[in-house]
Amino acid sequence: MTDLLNIPVTLNQGTESSLADIAPNSLILLVNTASECGLTPQYRGLQKLQETYGARGFTVLGAPCNQFNGQEPGTDQQIANFCALTYAISFPLLAKIDVNGESAHPLYRELTQVEDADGEAGDVAWNFEKFLISPDGDVIERIRPRVEPTSFEMTKLIEANLPR
């Protein structure tokens, strides 16, 4: 697998970066997000995770995506405003990307090769699919969309892998 931490990404405000620069030496929870989805309230739980574990080397990273029933139709600025005003999000967001298909971002081309707990790899199933990435760039776990961010399963997984 390619070095995930150094694949170029663009942040919501247009800055070119990489996971290594966004969250150096951190456990990263990368989540494809959408503002008009039935799972959108998961932003609340993602923000709670950021507040709870951020000082311990953990970062949530949102990856807005409009590939699932057009549920993220806004511009990067509109998405940032929605997240700030509706959920008081403090974690970083990428510029809107594709996670599946020919136009999938290179980061997601790599991530979709990873199997979930049931041994299933392939396309991202829906909004709010999660990938827990170690500070070394290894994918620790692929978590399907309906798993709530603050569930026991998630918090146990995060706590077991915090770098500090």
PDB file of all heavy atoms in Angstrom, residues 27-47:
ATOM      1  N   LEU A  27      -3.217   9.715  15.557  1.00  0.00           N
ATOM      2  CA  LEU A  27      -4.210   8.732  15.147  1.00  0.00           C
ATOM      3  C   LEU A  27      -5.291   9.526  14.415  1.00  0.00           C
ATOM      4  O   LEU A  27      -5.792  10.515  14.948  1.00  0.00           O
ATOM      5  CB  LEU A  27      -4.783   8.044  16.388  1.00  0.00           C
ATOM      6  CG  LEU A  27      -5.829   6.967  16.187  1.00  0.00           C
ATOM      7  CD1 LEU A  27      -5.232   5.763  15.453  1.00  0.00           C
ATOM      8  CD2 LEU A  27      -6.388   6.531  17.533  1.00  0.00           C
ATOM      9  N   ILE A  28      -5.626   9.126  13.200  1.00  0.00           N
ATOM     10  CA  ILE A  28      -6.567   9.883  12.367  1.00  0.00           C
ATOM     11  C   ILE A  28      -7.819   9.055  12.125  1.00  0.00           C
ATOM     12  O   ILE A  28      -7.729   7.879  11.745  1.00  0.00           O
ATOM     13  CB  ILE A  28      -5.929  10.261  11.018  1.00  0.00           C
ATOM     14  CG1 ILE A  28      -4.691  11.139  11.229  1.00  0.00           C
ATOM     15  CG2 ILE A  28      -6.940  10.953  10.103  1.00  0.00           C
ATOM     16  CD1 ILE A  28      -3.835  11.319   9.983  1.00  0.00           C
ATOM     17  N   LEU A  29      -8.973   9.679  12.313  1.00  0.00           N
ATOM     18  CA  LEU A  29     -10.239   9.074  11.922  1.00  0.00           C
ATOM     19  C   LEU A  29     -10.720   9.846  10.705  1.00  0.00           C
ATOM     20  O   LEU A  29     -11.185  10.981  10.817  1.00  0.00           O
ATOM     21  CB  LEU A  29     -11.272   9.137  13.047  1.00  0.00           C
ATOM     22  CG  LEU A  29     -12.595   8.427  12.742  1.00  0.00           C
ATOM     23  CD1 LEU A  29     -12.388   6.917  12.579  1.00  0.00           C
ATOM     24  CD2 LEU A  29     -13.616   8.706  13.833  1.00  0.00           C
ATOM     25  N   LEU A  30     -10.550   9.252   9.526  1.00  0.00           N
ATOM     26  CA  LEU A  30     -10.954   9.881   8.264  1.00  0.00           C
ATOM     27  C   LEU A  30     -12.373   9.432   7.945  1.00  0.00           C
ATOM     28  O   LEU A  30     -12.664   8.232   7.917  1.00  0.00           O
ATOM     29  CB  LEU A  30      -9.995   9.470   7.145  1.00  0.00           C
ATOM     30  CG  LEU A  30     -10.284  10.043   5.769  1.00  0.00           C
ATOM     31  CD1 LEU A  30     -10.135  11.552   5.743  1.00  0.00           C
ATOM     32  CD2 LEU A  30      -9.368   9.401   4.733  1.00  0.00           C
ATOM     33  N   VAL A  31     -13.255  10.400   7.713  1.00  0.00           N
ATOM     34  CA  VAL A  31     -14.680  10.121   7.520  1.00  0.00           C
ATOM     35  C   VAL A  31     -15.187  10.877   6.299  1.00  0.00           C
ATOM     36  O   VAL A  31     -15.017  12.096   6.221  1.00  0.00           O
ATOM     37  CB  VAL A  31     -15.492  10.588   8.758  1.00  0.00           C
ATOM     38  CG1 VAL A  31     -16.952  10.188   8.623  1.00  0.00           C
ATOM     39  CG2 VAL A  31     -14.896  10.073  10.052  1.00  0.00           C
ATOM     40  N   ASN A  32     -15.820  10.158   5.349  1.00  0.00           N
ATOM     41  CA  ASN A  32     -16.454  10.884   4.247  1.00  0.00           C
ATOM     42  C   ASN A  32     -17.802  11.401   4.751  1.00  0.00           C
ATOM     43  O   ASN A  32     -18.589  10.654   5.306  1.00  0.00           O
ATOM     44  CB  ASN A  32     -16.585  10.024   2.990  1.00  0.00           C
ATOM     45  CG  ASN A  32     -17.493   8.832   3.137  1.00  0.00           C
ATOM     46  OD1 ASN A  32     -17.234   7.955   3.950  1.00  0.00           O
ATOM     47  ND2 ASN A  32     -18.562   8.785   2.364  1.00  0.00           N
ATOM     48  N   THR A  33     -18.025  12.682   4.601  1.00  0.00           N
ATOM     49  CA  THR A  33     -19.163  13.352   5.231  1.00  0.00           C
ATOM     50  C   THR A  33     -20.127  13.930   4.198  1.00  0.00           C
ATOM     51  O   THR A  33     -19.788  14.082   3.030  1.00  0.00           O
ATOM     52  CB  THR A  33     -18.661  14.488   6.146  1.00  0.00           C
ATOM     53  OG1 THR A  33     -17.901  15.404   5.357  1.00  0.00           O
ATOM     54  CG2 THR A  33     -17.809  13.946   7.290  1.00  0.00           C
ATOM     55  N   ALA A  34     -21.315  14.274   4.686  1.00  0.00           N
ATOM     56  CA  ALA A  34     -22.335  14.919   3.857  1.00  0.00           C
ATOM     57  C   ALA A  34     -23.266  15.712   4.767  1.00  0.00           C
ATOM     58  O   ALA A  34     -23.583  15.282   5.873  1.00  0.00           O
ATOM     59  CB  ALA A  34     -23.118  13.888   3.062  1.00  0.00           C
ATOM     60  N   SER A  35     -23.710  16.860   4.287  1.00  0.00           N
ATOM     61  CA  SER A  35     -24.523  17.779   5.089  1.00  0.00           C
ATOM     62  C   SER A  35     -26.022  17.496   5.041  1.00  0.00           C
ATOM     63  O   SER A  35     -26.763  18.000   5.869  1.00  0.00           O
ATOM     64  CB  SER A  35     -24.291  19.218   4.614  1.00  0.00           C
ATOM     65  OG  SER A  35     -22.935  19.559   4.732  1.00  0.00           O
ATOM     66  N   GLU A  36     -26.470  16.711   4.069  1.00  0.00           N
ATOM     67  CA  GLU A  36     -27.903  16.494   3.899  1.00  0.00           C
ATOM     68  C   GLU A  36     -28.258  15.007   3.924  1.00  0.00           C
ATOM     69  O   GLU A  36     -29.082  14.522   3.153  1.00  0.00           O
ATOM     70  CB  GLU A  36     -28.379  17.131   2.585  1.00  0.00           C
ATOM     71  CG  GLU A  36     -28.179  18.635   2.553  1.00  0.00           C
ATOM     72  CD  GLU A  36     -28.622  19.271   1.252  1.00  0.00           C
ATOM     73  OE1 GLU A  36     -29.204  18.580   0.393  1.00  0.00           O
ATOM     74  OE2 GLU A  36     -28.375  20.485   1.091  1.00  0.00           O
ATOM     75  N   CYS A  37     -27.662  14.285   4.832  1.00  0.00           N
ATOM     76  CA  CYS A  37     -27.818  12.836   4.940  1.00  0.00           C
ATOM     77  C   CYS A  37     -28.500  12.499   6.261  1.00  0.00           C
ATOM     78  O   CYS A  37     -28.384  13.241   7.234  1.00  0.00           O
ATOM     79  CB  CYS A  37     -26.420  12.194   4.890  1.00  0.00           C
ATOM     80  SG  CYS A  37     -26.360  10.420   5.148  1.00  0.00           S
ATOM     81  N   GLY A  38     -29.182  11.382   6.301  1.00  0.00           N
ATOM     82  CA  GLY A  38     -29.767  10.937   7.560  1.00  0.00           C
ATOM     83  C   GLY A  38     -28.719  10.681   8.631  1.00  0.00           C
ATOM     84  O   GLY A  38     -29.018  10.719   9.828  1.00  0.00           O
ATOM     85  N   LEU A  39     -27.464  10.459   8.223  1.00  0.00           N
ATOM     86  CA  LEU A  39     -26.377  10.225   9.177  1.00  0.00           C
ATOM     87  C   LEU A  39     -25.626  11.505   9.543  1.00  0.00           C
ATOM     88  O   LEU A  39     -24.699  11.459  10.357  1.00  0.00           O
ATOM     89  CB  LEU A  39     -25.397   9.184   8.606  1.00  0.00           C
ATOM     90  CG  LEU A  39     -25.990   7.810   8.297  1.00  0.00           C
ATOM     91  CD1 LEU A  39     -24.939   6.898   7.679  1.00  0.00           C
ATOM     92  CD2 LEU A  39     -26.591   7.180   9.536  1.00  0.00           C
ATOM     93  N   THR A  40     -26.015  12.638   8.978  1.00  0.00           N
ATOM     94  CA  THR A  40     -25.327  13.906   9.245  1.00  0.00           C
ATOM     95  C   THR A  40     -25.194  14.215  10.746  1.00  0.00           C
ATOM     96  O   THR A  40     -24.162  14.752  11.156  1.00  0.00           O
ATOM     97  CB  THR A  40     -26.019  15.067   8.497  1.00  0.00           C
ATOM     98  OG1 THR A  40     -25.965  14.780   7.093  1.00  0.00           O
ATOM     99  CG2 THR A  40     -25.345  16.398   8.759  1.00  0.00           C
ATOM    100  N   PRO A  41     -26.169  13.869  11.590  1.00  0.00           N
ATOM    101  CA  PRO A  41     -25.982  14.118  13.027  1.00  0.00           C
ATOM    102  C   PRO A  41     -24.748  13.426  13.631  1.00  0.00           C
ATOM    103  O   PRO A  41     -24.341  13.759  14.747  1.00  0.00           O
ATOM    104  CB  PRO A  41     -27.279  13.600  13.650  1.00  0.00           C
ATOM    105  CG  PRO A  41     -28.302  13.799  12.559  1.00  0.00           C
ATOM    106  CD  PRO A  41     -27.552  13.459  11.292  1.00  0.00           C
ATOM    107  N   GLN A  42     -24.119  12.515  12.889  1.00  0.00           N
ATOM    108  CA  GLN A  42     -22.867  11.924  13.381  1.00  0.00           C
ATOM    109  C   GLN A  42     -21.783  12.987  13.554  1.00  0.00           C
ATOM    110  O   GLN A  42     -20.820  12.779  14.285  1.00  0.00           O
ATOM    111  CB  GLN A  42     -22.375  10.810  12.454  1.00  0.00           C
ATOM    112  CG  GLN A  42     -23.147   9.521  12.599  1.00  0.00           C
ATOM    113  CD  GLN A  42     -22.452   8.347  11.916  1.00  0.00           C
ATOM    114  OE1 GLN A  42     -21.247   8.359  11.675  1.00  0.00           O
ATOM    115  NE2 GLN A  42     -23.231   7.319  11.616  1.00  0.00           N
ATOM    116  N   TYR A  43     -21.929  14.134  12.895  1.00  0.00           N
ATOM    117  CA  TYR A  43     -20.978  15.236  13.111  1.00  0.00           C
ATOM    118  C   TYR A  43     -20.857  15.545  14.611  1.00  0.00           C
ATOM    119  O   TYR A  43     -19.782  15.863  15.097  1.00  0.00           O
ATOM    120  CB  TYR A  43     -21.442  16.501  12.392  1.00  0.00           C
ATOM    121  CG  TYR A  43     -20.911  16.684  11.001  1.00  0.00           C
ATOM    122  CD1 TYR A  43     -21.779  16.871   9.932  1.00  0.00           C
ATOM    123  CD2 TYR A  43     -19.545  16.732  10.736  1.00  0.00           C
ATOM    124  CE1 TYR A  43     -21.310  17.091   8.640  1.00  0.00           C
ATOM    125  CE2 TYR A  43     -19.067  16.944   9.452  1.00  0.00           C
ATOM    126  CZ  TYR A  43     -19.948  17.115   8.414  1.00  0.00           C
ATOM    127  OH  TYR A  43     -19.470  17.324   7.140  1.00  0.00           O
ATOM    128  N   ARG A  44     -21.967  15.474  15.326  1.00  0.00           N
ATOM    129  CA  ARG A  44     -21.971  15.752  16.768  1.00  0.00           C
ATOM    130  C   ARG A  44     -21.016  14.805  17.493  1.00  0.00           C
ATOM    131  O   ARG A  44     -20.194  15.210  18.302  1.00  0.00           O
ATOM    132  CB  ARG A  44     -23.395  15.607  17.307  1.00  0.00           C
ATOM    133  CG  ARG A  44     -23.776  16.604  18.352  1.00  0.00           C
ATOM    134  CD  ARG A  44     -25.262  16.489  18.750  1.00  0.00           C
ATOM    135  NE  ARG A  44     -26.079  17.398  17.961  1.00  0.00           N
ATOM    136  CZ  ARG A  44     -26.982  17.055  17.048  1.00  0.00           C
ATOM    137  NH1 ARG A  44     -27.227  15.799  16.788  1.00  0.00           N
ATOM    138  NH2 ARG A  44     -27.656  17.963  16.387  1.00  0.00           N
ATOM    139  N   GLY A  45     -21.129  13.521  17.189  1.00  0.00           N
ATOM    140  CA  GLY A  45     -20.266  12.520  17.808  1.00  0.00           C
ATOM    141  C   GLY A  45     -18.819  12.657  17.377  1.00  0.00           C
ATOM    142  O   GLY A  45     -17.903  12.463  18.182  1.00  0.00           O
ATOM    143  N   LEU A  46     -18.599  12.994  16.107  1.00  0.00           N
ATOM    144  CA  LEU A  46     -17.228  13.201  15.633  1.00  0.00           C
ATOM    145  C   LEU A  46     -16.577  14.369  16.368  1.00  0.00           C
ATOM    146  O   LEU A  46     -15.409  14.285  16.773  1.00  0.00           O
ATOM    147  CB  LEU A  46     -17.221  13.434  14.121  1.00  0.00           C
ATOM    148  CG  LEU A  46     -17.662  12.243  13.263  1.00  0.00           C
ATOM    149  CD1 LEU A  46     -17.849  12.679  11.813  1.00  0.00           C
ATOM    150  CD2 LEU A  46     -16.671  11.099  13.368  1.00  0.00           C
ATOM    151  N   GLN A  47     -17.333  15.446  16.569  1.00  0.00           N
ATOM    152  CA  GLN A  47     -16.798  16.588  17.299  1.00  0.00           C
ATOM    153  C   GLN A  47     -16.499  16.208  18.754  1.00  0.00           C
ATOM    154  O   GLN A  47     -15.484  16.609  19.309  1.00  0.00           O
ATOM    155  CB  GLN A  47     -17.754  17.776  17.237  1.00  0.00           C
ATOM    156  CG  GLN A  47     -17.285  19.004  17.993  1.00  0.00           C
ATOM    157  CD  GLN A  47     -15.938  19.554  17.528  1.00  0.00           C
ATOM    158  OE1 GLN A  47     -15.547  19.404  16.370  1.00  0.00           O
ATOM    159  NE2 GLN A  47     -15.209  20.188  18.435  1.00  0.00           N
TER     160      GLN A  47
END
